[in-house]
Amino acid sequence: MTQEELDKLMDGDMDLGDDALSMDDGDAIESDADSVQHDSDNYKVSADNSWPPPPPSTENKVVHQLDDVTKESEEKASQIFDMLEAISNEAMAIEEKIDSVSSALNSNIELFEKLLTKFPNIPHFEEQIQKSKVAIENIAVISDNVSTIGMNCMSAMDVMQYQDIHRQKIERVINIMRALSNYMNKLFEGKIDDENRVSSAKHIHGDDTSNKDIADEDDIEALIAAFGKK
């Protein structure tokens, strides 16, 4: 800002337009974003936030979450296998029933053909023969569809085998993370137990003296005088 603009601003002649307001609003938004980013009480995991680190709650424990993923995925995979097996068994049962129906229709066709030979003037026999042949054709289509369902179930079971491979990969990651965790614990392990270790000093020479919890010289003299009166 130039001196001329500053003089106009002091005299009230300068127009603060949308640019100034938008700049202030932008600063306020940026300030709010910083406050949210550093608000540990309302922390939410985000790739954009580098501080503070996520609290060690259940939903933020990495190994805990991976264990849940492997357990739940294995349970769901087992349920899917059971359902696919049930569908495959039902398809096989349908194929067996289709064979019996086809056999019965073929027997009916043979019977009506014999009757038609003996009684050619009765058109009902010819109609039943044609209907039985159409039914056999439809049953053949149904049989093919059922066979396709059974094959698809078997293919789905083969594909589901990869779920076990994925579980093994996740378990490998878990084991690596656990090994790193144990290594870090060993690396920072001390000779003194935590319960036997002295507490840290609240104030060390050279610290920021603006902290209200730090006693100044007057407080120390008053404390000594109070002890002297006792």
Side-chain angles (χ1 to χ4, degrees):
M1 179 178 289
T2 63
Q3 184 64 37
E4 183 179 357
E5 292 174 343
L6 180 60
D7 294 338
K8 290 182 179 181
L9 178 62
M10 297 299 294
D11 295 336
D13 296 334
M14 185 174 181
D15 183 16
L16 295 177
D18 295 337
D19 294 339
L21 293 176
S22 61
M23 181 179 64
D24 294 339
D25 293 340
D27 294 340
I29 294 173
E30 184 177 358
S31 177
D32 293 339
D34 292 339
S35 63
V36 172
Q37 182 177 357
H38 292 79
D39 187 3
S40 59
D41 294 334
N42 298 323
Y43 183 86
K44 293 183 179 180
V45 177
S46 174
D48 298 330
N49 294 339
S50 58
W51 185 263
S57 56
T58 302
E59 59 271 13
N60 293 331
K61 293 181 179 179
V62 180
V63 176
H64 187 279
Q65 293 295 320
L66 291 176
D67 287 335
D68 288 343
V69 169
T70 54
K71 180 181 178 181
E72 293 173 0
S73 61
E74 188 173 1
E75 291 176 353
K76 296 301 181 182
S78 178
Q79 294 176 5
I80 293 174
F81 269 114
D82 293 339
M83 288 186 283
L84 290 174
E85 185 178 3
I87 294 173
S88 179
N89 293 335
E90 291 293 335
M92 293 176 62
I94 292 173
E95 287 181 345
E96 293 177 357
K97 293 179 180 180
I98 286 176
D99 292 338
S100 63
V101 173
S102 298
S103 178
L105 288 174
N106 288 324
S107 298
N108 290 337
I109 291 174
E110 292 178 359
L111 176 61
F112 285 121
E113 286 178 348
K114 291 179 180 179
L115 292 174
L116 183 61
T117 302
K118 291 184 178 182
F119 306 100
N121 296 326
I122 300 177
H124 179 69
F125 295 150
E126 180 65 25
E127 293 176 359
Q128 293 301 320
I129 291 173
Q130 297 301 324
K131 289 181 180 179
S132 297
K133 289 181 178 179
V134 172
I136 290 176
E137 292 176 357
N138 292 334
I139 288 176
V141 174
I142 295 173
S143 179
D144 292 339
N145 292 336
V146 172
S147 298
T148 302
I149 292 173
M151 293 175 60
N152 289 335
C153 288
M154 297 301 296
S155 299
M157 289 182 180
D158 292 337
V159 173
M160 287 297 297
Q161 296 293 334
Y162 286 96
Q163 189 276 337
D164 185 63
I165 298 176
H166 295 160
R167 177 186 58 81
Q168 294 177 10
K169 290 181 178 179
I170 294 176
E171 288 179 349
R172 178 187 296 173
V173 173
I174 292 174
N175 291 331
I176 293 174
M177 296 178 67
R178 292 296 301 160
L180 290 174
S181 177
N182 293 332
Y183 170 75
M184 295 299 293
N185 290 333
K186 292 292 184 181
L187 185 64
F188 292 104
E189 184 178 1
K191 297 181 179 179
I192 304 175
D193 295 334
D194 292 340
E195 57 270 13
N196 297 329
R197 190 177 297 277
V198 297
S199 59
S200 301
K202 293 184 178 180
H203 174 64
I204 301 176
H205 180 71
D207 288 347
D208 185 9
T209 57
S210 62
N211 191 347
K212 296 181 180 180
D213 295 334
I214 299 176
D216 55 13
E217 294 181 0
D218 295 336
D219 294 333
I220 296 174
E221 291 179 358
L223 182 61
I224 294 174
F227 276 111
K229 293 179 181 180
K230 293 183 178 180

